[in-house]
């Protein structure tokens, strides 16, 4: 069965601190996708990244970076020099490569960035 | 205009009421979804529609009845709900043939069942 675990329920940091959000997944599929979504207070989830299971290269996008490690079934998300606007709930998700209709989400990590 | 619009944003209903949630997407996508978000639980996929046809019903109780009259509109009809159905109901859309898994979400309809 597929499962996504985000053990950190809430994280609080002060602006400019770096913060890492953990994501551990379980799947028996050999090909799959991993995702991160951001849910700001307005409610809508916003897509941040998709990673194919074949591609273990780390990705950097501005202040955001992602560390995918198949050996530990983890797909962690780091925000460098956090800002107040980063305050949101962040969800990690998993899907089969052939069935992206069914995203399996974690319970989310609430990040609060204080000025 | 935002890509995916949901109405109403907030709804309070009694257990015997009948109400509907509406979702409209302006992105030209061909797949639409209903998700349920309850406190401290993962988002739960409820229904998937591809080209107006329902392709996924994730064991959702019959008191939730979806309707997809066209690729741009999705409804969730609610009747005889229970208090545990109180949650944020999120609509999403995607362009299915791209198979990217990238969903575009609305801001949700927060439902309270008394």
């Amino acid at each position: 069965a597929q499962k996504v675990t985000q053990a950190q329920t809430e994280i609080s940091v002060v602006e400019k601190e770096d913060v890492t959000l953990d994501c551990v997944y379980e799947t028996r599929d050999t090909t799959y996708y991993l995702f991160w979504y951001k849910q700001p207070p307005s409610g809508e989830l916003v897509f941040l990244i998709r990673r194919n299971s074949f591609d273990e290269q780390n990705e950097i996008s501005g202040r955001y970076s992602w560390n995918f490690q198949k050996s530990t079934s983890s797909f962690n998300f780091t925000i460098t020099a956090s800002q107040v606007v980063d305050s949101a709930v962040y969800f990690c998700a998993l899907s089969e490569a052939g069935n992206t209709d069914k995203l399996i989400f974690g319970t989310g990590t609430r990040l609060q960035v204080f000025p | 205009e935002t890509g995916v619009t949901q109405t109403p944003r907030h709804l309070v209903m009694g257990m015997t009421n009948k109400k509907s949630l509406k979702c409209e997407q302006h992105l030209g996508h061909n797949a639409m979804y209903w998700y349920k978000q309850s406190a401290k639980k993962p988002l739960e996929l409820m229904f998937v529609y591809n080209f107006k046809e329902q392709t996924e019903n994730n064991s959702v109780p019959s008191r939730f009845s979806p309707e997809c009259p066209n690729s741009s509109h999705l409804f969730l009809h609610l009747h005889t709900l229970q208090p545990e159905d109180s949650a944020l109901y999120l609509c999403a859309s995607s362009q299915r043939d791209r198979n990217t898994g990238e969903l575009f979400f609305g801001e949700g309809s927060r439902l309270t069942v008394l």
Side-chain angles (χ1 to χ4, degrees):
Chain A
Q2 295 182 318
K3 185 179 177 184
V4 174
T5 301
Q6 294 179 257
Q8 303 151 309
T9 307
E10 282 198 41
I11 301 175
S12 294
V13 299
V14 177
E15 240 183 344
K16 297 185 184 175
E17 282 186 26
D18 298 348
V19 58
T20 295
L21 309 181
D22 297 333
C23 173
V24 174
Y25 62 93
E26 297 174 30
T27 182
R28 292 179 184 165
D29 297 324
T30 52
T31 55
Y32 49 90
Y33 292 140
L34 294 163
F35 302 82
W36 276 95
Y37 279 83
K38 173 183 179 180
Q39 186 178 36
S42 53
E44 81 283 13
L45 275 78
V46 178
F47 170 87
L48 295 178
I49 190 172
R50 184 194 77 170
R51 173 61 76 217
N52 188 307
S53 55
F54 287 129
D55 183 1
E56 285 194 71
Q57 277 194 340
N58 290 334
E59 174 134 356
I60 298 175
S61 176
R63 296 184 298 107
Y64 294 171
S65 62
W66 291 270
N67 184 349
F68 175 32
Q69 293 199 349
K70 266 179 125 168
S71 60
T72 55
S73 297
S74 65
F75 186 43
N76 297 337
F77 173 30
T78 298
I79 302 175
T80 303
S82 58
Q83 300 176 2
V84 173
V85 294
D86 295 327
S87 298
V89 181
Y90 291 86
F91 291 93
C92 182
L94 165 72
S95 80
E96 295 174 36
N99 187 6
T100 52
D101 277 345
K102 293 190 78 169
L103 263 62
I104 308 300
F105 283 88
T107 49
T109 297
R110 180 177 299 280
L111 173 65
Q112 290 194 304
V113 182
F114 293 99
Chain B
E1 198 169 48
T2 56
V4 180
T5 305
Q6 290 188 242
T7 55
R9 293 295 310 280
H10 299 273
L11 177 63
V12 179
M13 58 188 288
M15 291 166 62
T16 57
N17 290 159
K18 287 185 181 180
K19 297 284 185 183
S20 296
L21 306 180
K22 178 183 175 183
C23 176
E24 183 174 1
Q25 59 99 358
H26 312 277
L27 301 168
H29 289 163
N30 52 24
M32 295 188 77
Y33 310 75
W34 280 115
Y35 276 86
K36 176 183 178 183
Q37 185 177 17
S38 306
K40 301 193 191 316
K41 293 175 71 173
L43 270 76
E44 301 171 55
L45 176 65
M46 300 176 73
F47 301 103
V48 180
Y49 277 82
N50 289 304
F51 297 100
K52 304 187 301 177
E53 299 298 319
Q54 188 183 119
T55 56
E56 186 78 33
N57 177 337
N58 203 22
S59 302
V60 180
S62 58
R63 56 186 185 270
F64 294 92
S65 174
E67 179 190 359
C68 188
N70 55 61
S71 294
S72 299
H73 293 85
L74 184 64
F75 295 89
L76 189 63
H77 304 300
L78 317 168
H79 60 99
T80 58
L81 295 191
Q82 306 296 313
E84 60 264 28
D85 296 322
S86 298
L88 181 68
Y89 289 85
L90 290 161
C91 174
S93 70
S94 74
Q95 187 58 28
R96 194 166 187 275
D97 43 311
R98 290 187 199 147
N99 197 32
T100 64
E102 179 179 354
L103 301 179
F104 293 77
F105 284 84
E107 293 180 329
S109 294
R110 184 161 297 283
L111 172 66
T112 303
V113 181
L114 301 176

